[in-house]
């Protein structure tokens, strides 16, 4: 599970939960096949479709030196009907 960094909980991702779509930040070097395998194995679900994109990195300035923040890849995963991923544990 080291390829998946964290689940994403934004306004848009919460709206996507109604369509059985979940957003995760994953390692930049991972591909769709690896992430699909990990999601299906770890959460015991069936993945229907996957979309990915790489948001641009933010610039940081230290005098005349410009560096970029750590980049990541964001995956939006659509599950087959009847499956779901619990993002929060019941308290």
């Amino acid at each position: 599970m080291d390829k998946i960094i964290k689940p994403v909980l934004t306004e848009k991702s919460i709206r996507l939960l109604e369509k059985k779509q979940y957003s995760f930040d994953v390692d930049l070097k991972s591909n769709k096949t690896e992430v699909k395998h990990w999601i299906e194995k770890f959460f015991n679900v069936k993945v229907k479709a996957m979309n990915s994109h790489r948001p641009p990195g933010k610039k940081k300035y230290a005098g005349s030196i410009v560096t970029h923040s750590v980049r990541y890849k964001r995956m939006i995963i659509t599950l087959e009907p009847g499956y779901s991923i619990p993002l929060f544990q019941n308290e």
Side-chain angles (χ1 to χ4, degrees):
M1 201 62 188
D2 55 345
K3 299 283 184 183
I4 299 172
I5 299 172
K6 63 181 178 180
V8 178
L9 295 174
T10 60
E11 290 180 16
K12 181 179 179 180
S13 67
I14 291 172
R15 279 184 280 144
L16 290 175
L17 290 175
E18 296 173 0
K19 300 178 184 178
K20 298 285 185 181
Q21 294 181 336
Y22 298 87
S23 300
F24 292 95
D25 287 344
V26 298
D27 185 24
L28 190 60
K29 297 177 184 177
S30 61
N31 58 26
K32 288 182 180 182
T33 308
E34 292 174 344
V35 174
K36 179 181 177 181
H37 173 73
W38 278 104
I39 293 291
E40 287 181 343
K41 187 176 181 180
F42 187 74
F43 292 111
N44 197 19
V45 296
K46 295 289 181 184
V47 175
K48 181 178 181 181
M50 296 181 69
N51 295 326
S52 66
H53 72 282
R54 294 189 314 194
K58 295 182 180 179
K59 293 181 183 178
K60 293 182 181 179
Y61 297 96
S64 62
I65 300 171
V66 178
T67 60
H68 294 279
S69 63
V70 177
R71 295 186 59 187
Y72 55 90
K73 189 184 291 186
R74 183 164 288 169
M75 295 274 187
I76 300 174
I77 299 165
T78 306
L79 299 180
E80 293 283 342
Y83 291 98
S84 65
I85 296 175
L87 294 178
F88 301 107
Q89 292 181 350
N90 294 336
E91 295 181 9

